[in-house]
Amino acid sequence: MKSSIDPVQNLAELITCPSITPAEEGALTVLEAMLTPLGFSVERPTFREDDTPDVENLYARRSGNGPHLMFAGHTDVVPVGDEAAWTYPPFSASIHNDEMYGRGAVDMKGGIACFVAAVGRHLEKRGGLNGSISFVITGDEEGPSINGTRKLLEWAKAKGESWDAAVVGEPTNPEKLGDMMKIGRRGSLSGTIVVSGVQGHVAYPHLADNPIRGLVTLVESLLYPAFDTGTKDFQATNLEITTIDVGNPAVNVIPAKATATFNIRFNDTWTDETLMAEIHNRLDKASGRRKLRPNKKAPVNYELTWRDRVSHVFLTHDEKLIGTLTSAVEATTGKRPQLSTSGGTSDARFIKDYCPVVEFGLVGKTMHMVDERVAIADLETLTQIYERFIADFFA
Ligand SMILES: [Zn+2]
């Protein structure tokens, strides 16, 4: 049991496995070896789907009488980028000036290393646990996220598992440990608009119908007016046009087709359905506008397709979970964390369908960058926060 209570040792073991998504490369084996001596029973299901890589995942539970707490995260990491640009090799776990370098140091092998250490210390001090803890760890968070947390939760539920609360160990602090906890996430939705016109000679526009005029009309209707001004818990909903494509090499040809793709990050003013309806509505209205198409009688001929999987917006309301973690952070760091819903999506979007979920981990400043690194002091502090949280949660 000894080594598992040291987060620095735990993290070094995890970083030295080059588990670039979706490769396992020993990272789950190392984690299993930490958890088994702590009394966890470990399972490692592999999930498959056409056109995606097979992904190995880990579910480990230590059972007891009382509530069931989930700790969720991922052992896969993003690629290292230009390896020569790293000051120390990305899988060496080198320590310099009280910082450990390595891909995954903060996102998020560090969070896992600390939670394992916290559980180990709790068990060592108290000799047991008034409840159950499960590790829900995937190797598919930085990739397509198809064979990861979503399927792992379905798989566990099918075996009869259920949880009372969850903590995700993603790096949530922008500058210093204690800055920020995430209690929800915005939703995300993407779509592509294809406008069909009539190809022709630029000198004879009355014989053609330039789809770019139509596309610009439609796109403007999505950019203005704003969808909302934000809510108590969320930033304003924001839509960005991510690409406009025509692919027309000729200067004297009016093209036949023009395409635009957008992504919208939305708050709890909307649901997927109401937002999709609003977008359809705006496009339909705009399609009849004549400003850019004064001589055209027919409305803009367009088709809208929704892309990818929708991420639903969510907000956690569990005061006990939020309060217990907030107190643990404040007692350890002296700072009361801001409760935020900012940033991109995370696997919490899958967990929220099973139990209340909050996110708190390391400082994210260097995540996905060259020279990703974590302060050794932060590893110890986060371990103490988690240990205190575990003690209070099961008290
Ligand atoms: Zn992450």
Side-chain angles (χ1 to χ4, degrees):
M1 199 194 270
K2 267 254 136 26
S3 78
S4 301
I5 64 169
D6 178 7
V8 181
Q9 174 69 34
N10 291 352
L11 180 54
E13 284 178 33
L14 288 167
I15 284 181
T16 46
C17 304
S19 52
I20 296 170
T21 195
E24 189 270 329
E25 290 295 333
L28 294 178
T29 301
V30 161
L31 181 58
E32 179 172 1
M34 292 175 200
L35 292 173
T36 306
L38 296 176
F40 284 83
S41 53
V42 181
E43 290 174 271
R44 288 169 57 178
T46 296
F47 300 121
R48 301 179 169 84
E49 192 156 318
D50 287 351
D51 305 321
T52 63
D54 292 359
V55 178
E56 199 173 343
N57 300 271
L58 179 145
Y59 186 75
R61 177 171 179 166
R62 189 186 196 282
S63 297
N65 286 327
H68 188 179
L69 175 68
M70 176 199 306
F71 176 79
H74 61 91
T75 49
D76 60 327
V77 297
V78 294
V80 299
D82 179 10
E83 186 159 353
W86 284 69
T87 312
Y88 307 100
F91 299 109
S92 65
S94 304
I95 297 177
H96 295 272
N97 292 330
D98 301 316
E99 291 180 307
M100 183 183 285
Y101 286 69
R103 177 55 85 224
V106 295
D107 184 12
M108 60 154 278
K109 289 175 171 175
I112 295 173
C114 293
F115 204 87
V116 171
V119 173
R121 291 180 190 185
H122 181 91
L123 293 174
E124 206 174 68
K125 281 180 200 156
R126 319 246 171 163
L129 193 67
N130 299 323
S132 300
I133 290 182
S134 290
F135 282 77
V136 173
I137 305 294
T138 183
D140 184 27
E141 201 275 341
E142 303 287 10
S145 297
I146 287 171
N147 294 314
T149 301
R150 192 174 57 88
K151 287 190 180 174
L152 187 55
L153 291 167
E154 282 168 11
W155 170 90
K157 189 188 175 189
K159 296 195 321 153
E161 295 289 279
S162 65
W163 307 269
D164 297 294
V167 173
V168 176
E170 291 280 6
T172 51
N173 298 283
E175 291 290 333
K176 284 208 163 66
L177 213 55
D179 284 343
M180 187 180 282
M181 177 191 306
K182 304 255 166 129
I183 57 163
R185 293 278 186 161
R186 290 180 294 175
S188 173
L189 189 61
S190 300
T192 294
I193 304 163
V194 179
V195 173
S196 300
V198 177
Q199 190 175 326
H201 196 300
V202 289
Y204 302 90
H206 56 289
L207 299 177
D209 180 2
N210 192 337
I212 299 173
R213 288 176 180 267
L215 187 67
V216 170
T217 302
L218 297 185
V219 160
E220 187 191 21
S221 77
L222 297 184
L223 296 174
Y224 184 87
F227 285 83
D228 56 62
T229 54
T231 67
K232 181 170 75 61
D233 299 297
F234 285 92
Q235 294 165 270
T237 294
N238 184 58
L239 182 144
E240 290 297 327
I241 304 296
T242 50
T243 183
I244 290 184
D245 301 291
V246 181
N248 177 15
V251 293
N252 58 354
V253 174
I254 291 171
K257 248 189 188 66
T259 301
T261 295
F262 62 87
N263 176 268
I264 183 163
R265 297 297 163 112
F266 59 99
N267 63 39
D268 59 354
T269 307
W270 307 92
T271 64
D272 317 341
E273 291 75 22
T274 62
L275 188 59
M276 286 175 169
E278 168 72 11
I279 288 169
H280 271 292
N281 201 10
R282 286 185 180 214
L283 294 177
D284 279 339
K285 264 200 199 138
S287 69
R289 282 183 200 146
R290 298 271 173 268
K291 196 170 79 179
L292 301 182
R293 309 172 66 245
N295 305 316
K296 302 294 173 227
K297 293 211 170 58
V300 178
N301 177 13
Y302 78 95
E303 219 171 287
L304 167 62
T305 45
W306 300 105
R307 291 162 62 108
D308 308 330
R309 243 178 254 279
V310 181
S311 281
H312 310 281
V313 57
F314 75 94
L315 182 66
T316 297
H317 294 286
D318 188 319
E319 299 301 330
K320 182 175 173 267
L321 173 62
I322 295 170
T324 306
L325 189 50
T326 299
S327 307
V329 173
E330 198 175 10
T332 312
T333 65
K335 294 168 72 166
R336 207 170 169 78
Q338 184 195 343
L339 306 181
S340 170
T341 57
S342 62
T345 61
S346 79
D347 276 357
R349 69 187 191 268
F350 304 124
I351 299 167
K352 66 108 173 46
D353 295 334
Y354 296 85
C355 64
V357 54
V358 293
E359 301 174 65
F360 187 81
L362 289 161
V363 175
K365 243 197 299 198
T366 59
M367 60 184 171
H368 295 208
M369 290 170 67
V370 161
D371 280 348
E372 180 174 349
R373 60 194 183 276
V374 60
I376 299 297
D378 281 0
L379 293 173
E380 179 56 32
T381 305
L382 182 60
T383 301
Q384 289 176 16
I385 291 170
Y386 283 156
E387 188 186 352
R388 192 168 189 125
F389 169 74
I390 290 166
D392 294 347
F393 183 87
F394 289 104

